[in-house]
Amino acid sequence: MTKRPITADDLCQFKFVGDPQVSPNKDKVAYVLTHVDQEKDGYYSYIYVTDLNGEGRKFTSHYSKDHLVKDVAPKWSPDGSSIAFRSNRTGKNQVWLLHTDGGEAVQLTDVKQGVGEFTWSPDGKQLAVTVHGELKLSTEKDEEKKDKSDVKVITRLRYKGDGVGIYNEDRKHVYLFDVETKVFTKVTAGDHDFGQARFSPDGKSLFYVGTKAEDKEWGYLPAIWKYDIASKEESLFYQGNGYVMAPSFSPDGKWLAVAGHTRGERSQGNANVLLLSVETGELKNVTEHFDYTVGNLVGVDAKYDTAEGRLIWDETSSNIYFIATVGGDCQLFKVSLDGEVSAALTPGVASVTSFDIVSDDQAVIVLATPHSTGDVVVQDLKSIENIVQVTDWNSELYNEVHLSTPENFQYKSTDGWDIEGWVMKPYGYEEGKKYPMILQIHGGPATAYGNGLHHEMQLMAAKGYVVLYTNPRGSHGYGHDFVNAVIGDYGGMDYTDIMAGVDYALANFDYIDQEELFVTGGSYGGYMTNVIVTRTDRFKAAVTQRSICNWHSFYGTSDIGFFFTEWQHGHADLWDDYEKLIKLSPLHYARNVKTPTLILHSEQDLRCPMEQAEQWYVALKRLGVDTKLVRFPDENHDLSRSGKPKHRLERLEHLIGWFEDRRK
């Protein structure tokens, strides 16, 4: 039977798998399954537990008529008898506990402001949790404050964050929580933020990440702190010179592994696996000669994996497992203490979104492909081809809809650099026919397109378009020099790479109608879309999303503007390099634009603020360009990936409708 074309509404039919956690006895896996609720316009999630053969059950279940419940972050107790998880079922995020032999979930924490990250102590008697501000139990009464002001007084340089809003003055602190007595003990203090707490394997110490530096507002360089639980004394363990993430102790307690680098805050080069000696604090970069970044930087819009980044040791404390972005793939690797990195342990043309290790022979991974949002599979670590699929949540939908298969190609830019790209044929493709083409440009710029399911692109193909997407310099997955080549050269060779990809596609894929070209992109991709329409009229229409048009105003209005602008443009100073920033801004060249341009922007976007869209819209409208501005209320920079379902669908309608109205 012929499969039907995928629709916009199919986005709401996907179920998203993530955060696999292997039980201590290595026979079961807990994971999170996220659903879309169109009626309530949001997302809800439950935790499932399965054995390694796929025999499983729904582990948590809770309904609230007031809000959508999200059960996330499953963490097995050290003895495997129960699973702790975080849930908003009472309105605020709290830690809950459910025994593996059944029964009702028990609420462990009852904090008025809710809790964030949490982790078990090795003996299972305590949790380390993070809380914003001074901890208040729900049973405590708030002091009545007459004439309480709603005025916000700002004193920080970093005073807001996309997806968060204006930060309050409460800092994030680490607490110890006694599971039996329900008593909290505060670990950190002061006008600082701390998190990512980890117990040492002997349970005597707690390590966590944060900084007490006076200049942390201008240049954030986190440190790792050690807290002696018996004496309650804190000491500086390691002062970082770059970001550190996902701390992980070796089972023998001799090493602390972190993902990060030592190049200062303003670096988009590769993240590495760094080893810190617990005894001496000495640091060693064990992936120094592995020229790919740790972590998954493959961007798609059909993913909802709630897992934290992680590094996982083998049982002998000899090797560390990690994922890395390699071209358009994200694959699992392991590295020894001596810096020997294995070949990829998982297949190509796929992306590992999260993982856990069963043994030296097996890993449990969430594996996504261009035809799958990701399912739990058991990977044989001795043979890439040997994979057992454990879950198959979207099989009915996959069996019903047609999904275009991306065709990978390599091409040369004008200076000889190798660039990777993909092209997707339209639904119902017929030899000899010509089809319109949409060029997609990713954000970042230090992310990547690659091998995951991108619903938006599949929808474009279903509507009869060829879809072209590439990874120009500035993308991750091709080495340290490649990702850094865009620094100080926005709109330079990155523009050339993108346009060379268009030229290559037109020369090599004869089914593309050269008179029917369209372009779109978001964030950095929106900026490049704006750049493109100021330089060429070869595209019949453009859609610029969450974009930048004016670097000078971006500096003071974006949540990251004051450091991102200087860093990305080669230490460009707001005052000394005024002319440089203006000349890098598409707004400066708006008089060149003739291309019909749709502007899609979220009103709560603090990364690329709404004022960027407003400036671009007014300029183009004033100059007589066919343009339209669509504003999405109560959405942030992440609209296309995790916004309200209603707005995500309406966004797709506007996006494709703009092109449809301008086709032959």
Side-chain angles (χ1 to χ4, degrees), residues 109-299:
T109 65
D110 193 13
V111 178
K112 189 163 288 190
Q113 60 265 58
V115 301
E117 310 155 339
F118 72 95
T119 189
W120 284 99
S121 63
D123 61 7
K125 295 181 179 180
Q126 295 186 95
L127 299 174
V129 303
T130 58
V131 176
H132 271 94
E134 291 297 322
L135 183 140
K136 297 179 181 178
L137 299 179
S138 296
T139 54
E140 297 178 29
K141 291 184 178 180
D142 289 326
E143 294 182 16
E144 291 188 16
K145 294 183 179 180
K146 295 182 179 180
D147 303 322
K148 185 177 180 181
S149 175
D150 58 359
V151 173
K152 292 181 173 65
V153 178
I154 309 299
T155 60
R156 301 188 203 175
L157 182 57
R158 300 175 189 244
Y159 70 91
K160 61 183 178 181
D162 185 65
V164 180
I166 304 296
Y167 299 138
N168 59 33
E169 292 302 307
D170 293 333
R171 293 294 194 172
K172 185 172 73 171
H173 286 291
V174 176
Y175 290 80
L176 288 173
F177 173 75
D178 189 294
V179 175
E180 183 177 350
T181 65
K182 307 293 190 294
V183 172
F184 286 90
T185 301
K186 191 173 185 181
V187 173
T188 62
D191 188 26
H192 319 289
D193 292 302
F194 299 95
Q196 301 185 72
R198 302 290 188 270
F199 287 92
S200 59
D202 61 11
K204 295 181 180 179
S205 303
L206 188 68
F207 289 67
Y208 41 86
V209 178
T211 181
K212 298 181 181 181
E214 291 184 6
D215 61 349
K216 61 178 176 284
E217 294 285 282
W218 171 238
Y220 181 74
L221 295 175
I224 300 176
W225 302 84
K226 178 181 178 181
Y227 177 81
D228 184 276
I229 294 174
S231 67
K232 298 184 178 182
E233 292 182 354
E234 180 189 69
S235 59
L236 176 65
F237 172 68
Y238 166 73
Q239 175 55 60
N241 191 33
Y243 85 81
V244 293
M245 296 288 291
S248 176
F249 273 103
S250 59
D252 62 12
K254 294 181 179 179
W255 300 97
L256 181 66
V258 297
H261 60 73
T262 56
R263 299 183 302 272
E265 180 183 21
R266 295 152 176 75
S267 173
Q268 67 187 30
N270 293 335
N272 297 111
V273 177
L274 308 177
L275 277 188
L276 288 159
S277 167
V278 172
E279 182 179 352
T280 67
E282 181 183 355
L283 179 141
K284 179 165 63 170
N285 183 349
V286 291
T287 60
E288 182 178 5
H289 303 294
F290 177 74
D291 201 13
Y292 301 103
T293 193
V294 173
N296 187 336
L297 277 297
V298 177

Side-chain angles (χ1 to χ4, degrees), residues 508-526:
N508 289 274
F509 306 115
D510 59 6
Y511 49 83
I512 299 173
D513 187 338
Q514 302 198 25
E515 303 302 317
E516 291 280 291
L517 305 181
F518 304 90
V519 60
T520 187
S523 196
Y524 164 81

Side-chain angles (χ1 to χ4, degrees), residues 467-487:
V467 184
L468 171 69
Y469 51 106
T470 67
N471 282 338
R473 66 196 72 190
S475 305
H476 262 303
Y478 307 92
H480 182 83
D481 292 341
F482 191 93
V483 72
N484 278 307
V486 74
I487 302 295

Side-chain angles (χ1 to χ4, degrees), residues 18-24 28-32 46-49 59-60 71-87 94-100 108 115-121 124 126-130 179 196-199 246-247 306-310 312 355-356:
D19 201 3
Q21 299 278 347
V22 176
S23 63
K28 291 183 174 62
V29 180
Y31 64 92
V32 178
Y46 298 129
I47 293 167
Y48 283 73
V49 174
F59 190 72
T60 69
D71 295 340
V72 297
K75 298 186 190 303
W76 295 86
S77 62
D79 64 4
S81 66
S82 58
I83 296 177
F85 60 96
R86 190 171 64 243
S87 178
Q94 306 290 351
V95 180
W96 294 70
L97 187 70
L98 187 56
H99 289 282
T100 54
L108 290 183
V115 301
E117 310 155 339
F118 72 95
T119 189
W120 284 99
S121 63
Q126 295 186 95
L127 299 174
V129 303
T130 58
V179 175
Q196 301 185 72
R198 302 290 188 270
F199 287 92
T306 56
E308 301 170 359
R310 62 181 64 147
I312 299 178
F355 75 102
D356 202 354

Side-chain angles (χ1 to χ4, degrees), residues 6 32 35 40 96 101 146 294 303 307 315 337 369 398 409 414 421 441 455 457 466 538 549 591 645:
I6 199 168
V32 178
H35 304 250
K40 291 186 176 180
W96 294 70
D101 57 4
K146 295 182 179 180
V294 173
K303 181 175 76 172
E315 293 181 351
L337 299 183
T369 72
Y398 297 149
F409 63 91
T414 57
I441 308 170
H455 171 261
M457 293 186 189
V466 177
R538 71 191 299 186
C549 73
R591 285 175 173 167

Side-chain angles (χ1 to χ4, degrees), residues 20 25 50 151 153 325 345 376 382 433 435 453 457 474 498 518 534 540 561 592:
N25 58 6
T50 179
V151 173
V153 178
T325 301
L345 302 172
V376 177
K382 306 298 183 184
K433 287 188 67 173
Y435 297 91
L453 197 157
M457 293 186 189
I498 293 168
F518 304 90
T534 67
K540 288 188 70 175
N592 298 335

